[in-house]
Amino acid sequence: MADTPKEETKKPTVVIPDEDVEKASKLVLDPGYVTKKDLPKMADLEWATALSDAVTKHFLNDDEDHDPYVYFEQFDFAGGDIDSIIFNMDIIKTRDAGLHKLSEALDENIIDNDVQQETY
């Protein structure tokens, strides 16, 4: 007997206010990043992801003067905190630099991932 397909449930779309897109876009240009310190709603992953998409669309469709390489990333920190950053890779050149910038902005401690391993 074949499984009956389940109805797909659509998640409600996250609506990002224009003023938040404008603020985030300006911050991506200078100083080069935006975090939950700038927009507290970024503490929510779904909202932060939608903001990143909205900022990218803003630069693609509404801002002919700027063409930043917008990048969204989440990082985990010592103590279990996970936070998001949207950054301009033309200014902050690597993911590692993005991690350090987010750490500084939120006063978080980076997890020491140096693994000391002895090989035989």
Side-chain angles (χ1 to χ4, degrees):
M1 183 178 215
D3 289 338
T4 306
K6 294 181 180 178
E7 287 185 37
E8 290 185 28
T9 57
K10 291 186 177 181
K11 287 186 174 182
T13 303
V14 175
V15 177
I16 306 296
D18 290 342
E19 58 270 11
D20 289 342
V21 175
E22 286 295 322
K23 181 176 182 176
S25 297
K26 287 178 183 174
L27 290 167
V28 163
L29 294 175
D30 183 31
Y33 64 94
V34 59
T35 71
K36 72 180 182 183
K37 189 173 181 181
D38 307 299
L39 290 167
K41 293 179 211 169
M42 280 187 67
D44 177 71
L45 174 59
E46 187 175 10
W47 198 91
T49 303
L51 176 64
S52 176
D53 292 342
V55 168
T56 299
K57 287 177 186 172
H58 166 80
F59 286 116
L60 289 173
N61 302 325
D62 302 325
D63 187 342
E64 294 179 11
D65 297 329
H66 302 99
D67 187 25
Y69 182 174
V70 177
Y71 195 83
F72 173 77
E73 185 70 66
Q74 279 203 306
F75 294 105
D76 54 340
F77 294 97
D81 290 339
I82 300 173
D83 287 299
S84 302
I85 184 170
I86 302 168
F87 62 99
N88 180 346
M89 288 194 86
D90 296 327
I91 297 171
I92 300 169
K93 303 286 186 185
T94 65
R95 289 179 66 245
D96 189 57
L99 166 64
H100 284 83
K101 188 59 72 176
L102 181 60
S103 171
E104 291 169 19
L106 301 181
D107 196 29
E108 290 280 3
N109 293 319
I110 297 173
I111 297 171
D112 181 11
N113 286 326
D114 288 337
V115 176
Q116 302 299 323
Q117 181 175 340
E118 188 172 323
T119 57
Y120 300 96

